[in-house]
Amino acid sequence: MRTLPLLLGVSVLALTGCAQWGPQAPEKDKTYAITILHTNDHHGRFWKNRDGEYGMAARKTVIDQIRQEVQAAGGYSLLLDGGDVNTGVPESDLQDAVPDFRGMNLLGYDAMAVGNHEFDKPPVVLQMQRDLATFPMLSANIYKDGQRMFSPYKVFNLGGVRVGVMGLTTEDTQKMVHPDNIRGVTFADTQTETAKLLPELRQKADVVIAATHMGHYENGQHGVQAPGDVELARAVKGLDLIVGGHTQNPACMKAENVLDRAYVPGTECKPDRQNGTWIVQAHEWGKYVGRADFTYRNGEFKLVKYALIPINLKKPVKTADGKTVLQTYTPEIAESPEMLKLLQPFQDFGQQKLLVEVGSSDGKLEGDRAVVRSQPTALGVMIGQSMMEKVKADFAIVNAGGVRDSLPAGKIRYKDVLTVHPFGNTIVVVTLSGKEVMDYLNAAARMTPGSGAFPQFAGVRLVIEGGKVQSAQIAGQAIDATKTYRMALNNFVAAGGDGYPKLNTHPGYVDTGFVDADVLRAFIAAHSPLQAQAYAPGDSVVRK
């Protein structure tokens, strides 16, 4: 059953004009057309969403059309990904992203960067994915027991133009995944590794591309996160192009060092450029395919045209009778029958498991990435309360990076719960003195808005000023340094994840073994129909 998709993936690679067998050097005074196609942060979205947006079947239609166009004009193409294939949609998570990697094989990816979410599951799952992929997973800065864990780069011969693709992975992976999954693994400084490898790669390649999973931070302002693509380009000269991922935004610029945060699908996207290096990123989830058309002539790699192609992204439009309907920003893209045939069995299997109704809500519980990582939300409070109720804790802290989506108004299915909590983390409880509680709350208060470390709270009232707790109450009383309190959080944070202080060796630490999604599911069932307003954070956490 597994052989056919793998062979299909190989056949696509053979037909896509990667031209691995061309001349060994570019000809003088000849102009070569080279198109780089790119995606990133797929996060399990092998199937279109409920509104018919994105999905690998429509993506295949677009990529096939571009390749045919490029090949017909005598050009060459590469398809690259910026990492994080794993984690985000239950149908994929339940099947260890097998449908996603098989879909990537059929799409004919040439290489991908290793993302931090590739380490979300045990090493045996990552090895299975590496064996399944018909393309290399690249990372120059990941070491296991002192040896590189992945190939650092691959060189492609495009009609005589040698294109080297180097992979890089954010150093923050060390604190973003469970320690059990990265025993003996270290994530070296990306800038140091690039500077070390670039001279070697420049001897083998005429063009050098970095496929990275490090993040595109406006003007290099990376806060508490590890440095990203802008900082890399500024620090290390000699990269022609960075195909990025991790921050999950379109890297479209309004002006020099000013990101267009209101980018509209289908409009012009001007990629970032730093120190002679172009930087691109195609948002997330396969919402776009990035297309960068270059020419290469006598050593000059020149960007001719760039576009983000929306994959059936839709906007609300009012009809003449006053109703609101969804319409695609650009002409609708048909789905590839070949990809649908490959993926339909995986989708059907997932749906059978996931469409069980577990409860309902009278309103949406907000878990959108942009919101939950920057301000208190009702979903953050409710998750915290579900943990407190299960383990009889006095208060709870929830890292926003562990909240992956909102819960809808109306019926709530098991699928919705698993979309919020896809990691399978367990709930832990730690008994702390009042002084230890204040120390931990201060550590949480320092976490930067916008990051996955940003804390959501339940059971505690806080006033935070300048990243420091000015006042804190539990059960309506100021925290007493001489008393003890029970704090609930997940095992990832307790192990030092997202940069939190480690608590898993604390004498008051207990891992209950209760899985977060199961705890949330039981809470929803017990309290349905949920009243969303009952979980509104109000003024429980005030930041000055």
Side-chain angles (χ1 to χ4, degrees):
M1 291 295 290
R2 179 162 146 173
T3 309
L4 178 60
L6 287 171
L7 289 173
L8 284 170
V10 172
S11 69
V12 171
L13 277 168
L15 294 171
T16 54
C18 289
Q20 305 272 348
W21 306 279
Q24 291 307 302
E27 293 179 31
K28 190 173 184 293
D29 297 331
K30 179 176 178 178
T31 301
Y32 297 82
I34 295 172
T35 295
I36 306 299
L37 303 173
H38 66 97
T39 56
N40 57 275
D41 293 276
H42 169 82
H43 286 298
R45 267 75 179 184
F46 68 87
W47 201 257
K48 61 190 173 186
N49 71 0
R50 65 187 76 183
D51 294 324
E53 298 178 301
Y54 46 90
M56 293 180 116
R59 191 193 310 179
K60 179 166 171 36
T61 299
V62 168
I63 289 170
D64 285 353
Q65 287 175 349
I66 294 171
R67 280 179 168 144
Q68 288 165 11
E69 172 198 325
V70 169
Q71 192 172 28
Y76 304 89
S77 63
L78 284 178
L79 175 59
L80 306 175
D81 187 81
D84 273 8
V85 175
N86 286 279
T87 310
V89 173
E91 288 91 337
S92 170
D93 298 339
L94 284 170
Q95 300 174 81
D96 291 335
V98 168
D100 310 87
F101 277 94
R102 289 196 174 183
M104 290 178 77
N105 289 343
L106 185 54
L107 281 161
Y109 275 83
D110 292 293
M112 69 168 275
V114 177
N116 55 284
H117 283 284
E118 270 59 85
F119 294 92
D120 283 344
K121 291 194 175 184
V124 65
V125 175
L126 175 55
Q127 187 58 55
M128 176 274 292
Q129 293 172 347
R130 294 179 71 176
D131 292 341
L132 181 59
T134 55
F135 50 89
M137 299 171 72
L138 303 175
S139 185
N141 69 304
I142 302 178
Y143 289 82
K144 182 170 175 60
D145 300 326
Q147 301 293 318
R148 280 202 175 101
M149 191 173 173
F150 300 87
S151 296
Y153 60 78
K154 181 170 181 178
V155 178
F156 299 88
N157 189 325
L158 306 187
V161 180
R162 299 163 303 167
V163 178
V165 179
M166 175 195 304
L168 294 165
T169 307
T170 177
E171 299 141 58
D172 281 341
T173 305
Q174 202 86 44
K175 65 181 183 182
M176 297 178 80
V177 299
H178 199 281
D180 287 350
N181 296 342
I182 51 170
R183 291 197 188 283
V185 180
T186 55
F187 298 82
D189 182 276
T190 53
Q191 294 176 16
T192 302
E193 293 297 306
T194 303
K196 190 191 307 179
L197 268 181
L198 200 53
E200 172 188 329
L201 192 47
R202 274 288 171 196
Q203 289 185 335
K204 299 178 179 180
D206 306 296
V207 173
V208 176
I209 298 171
T212 73
H213 194 82
M214 296 163 52
H216 177 262
Y217 299 104
E218 183 181 34
N219 199 20
Q221 302 300 308
H222 59 91
V224 300
Q225 318 305 317
D229 297 332
V230 171
E231 303 88 296
L232 176 67
R234 289 175 178 176
V236 185
K237 182 132 182 102
L239 295 170
D240 294 296
L241 171 68
I242 295 175
V243 171
H246 188 51
T247 40
Q248 299 180 221
N249 59 284
C252 303
M253 307 307 292
K254 194 157 59 173
E256 186 176 358
N257 291 320
V258 180
L259 190 64
D260 183 0
R261 298 184 183 278
Y263 176 72
V264 176
T267 61
E268 183 184 12
C269 173
K270 296 179 179 177
D272 202 351
R273 196 172 199 197
Q274 301 285 339
N275 199 19
T277 300
W278 291 105
I279 303 173
V280 297
Q281 187 176 166
H283 201 179
E284 63 186 1
W285 304 355
K287 290 178 178 178
Y288 299 90
V289 170
R291 175 179 179 172
D293 292 307
F294 290 90
T295 57
Y296 180 87
R297 181 181 176 88
N298 295 336
E300 183 185 11
F301 192 56
K302 182 180 178 182
L303 181 64
V304 177
K305 188 177 180 183
Y306 181 75
L308 281 181
I309 302 164
I311 307 300
N312 289 336
L313 297 185
K314 296 179 179 179
K315 59 185 174 182
V317 175
K318 287 266 188 178
T319 60
D321 57 2
K323 292 181 180 177
T324 300
V325 297
L326 291 175
Q327 289 183 359
T328 53
Y329 284 91
T330 51
E332 187 158 359
I333 300 159
E335 294 184 288
S336 157
E338 188 180 10
M339 185 65 81
L340 287 174
K341 183 179 179 182
L342 171 68
L343 297 179
Q344 188 74 58
F346 295 106
Q347 178 69 3
D348 291 345
F349 175 82
Q351 291 291 302
Q352 289 169 12
K353 296 283 185 184
L354 297 166
L355 291 183
V356 178
E357 187 179 336
V358 297
S360 65
S361 175
D362 66 358
K364 178 184 178 183
L365 290 150
E366 186 63 73
D368 181 80
R369 176 190 176 100
V371 181
V372 78
R373 296 187 181 210
S374 60
Q375 66 190 60
T377 72
L379 182 56
V381 172
M382 191 179 81
I383 290 170
Q385 287 189 12
S386 73
M387 294 160 63
M388 289 166 59
E389 185 176 288
K390 183 67 175 178
V391 301
K392 296 180 172 53
D394 298 302
F395 72 105
I397 297 178
V398 180
N399 62 314
V403 182
R404 306 305 289 190
D405 209 340
S406 303
L407 285 175
K411 292 179 180 179
I412 298 174
R413 300 164 298 174
Y414 185 36
K415 173 181 178 177
D416 299 316
V417 176
L418 286 174
T419 305
V420 170
H421 278 328
F423 299 116
N425 289 325
T426 55
I427 308 303
V428 308
V429 62
V430 192
T431 302
L432 302 170
S433 70
K435 180 185 180 305
E436 289 174 316
V437 169
M438 289 302 298
D439 289 342
Y440 201 84
L441 289 174
N442 271 304
R446 289 192 292 270
M447 299 304 177
T448 309
S451 73
F454 183 79
Q456 297 282 331
F457 298 97
V460 60
R461 293 185 64 84
L462 299 172
V463 176
I464 299 169
E465 188 170 356
K468 189 172 169 63
V469 176
Q470 297 299 316
S471 69
Q473 294 181 338
I474 292 175
Q477 301 292 320
I479 293 173
D480 185 337
T482 64
K483 287 187 176 180
T484 58
Y485 300 87
R486 288 168 61 84
M487 176 176 69
L489 61 165
N490 65 47
N491 64 330
F492 166 70
V493 173
D498 276 340
Y500 277 84
K502 287 187 178 182
L503 288 174
N504 56 353
T505 57
H506 190 282
Y509 171 88
V510 176
D511 188 332
T512 66
F514 299 131
V515 176
D516 53 6
D518 294 340
V519 170
L520 183 57
R521 176 183 181 171
F523 185 89
I524 291 168
H527 295 274
S528 283
L530 299 170
Q531 295 180 316
Q533 191 57 37
Y535 304 98
D539 63 353
S540 59
V541 179
V542 176
R543 290 178 180 265
K544 297 181 179 178

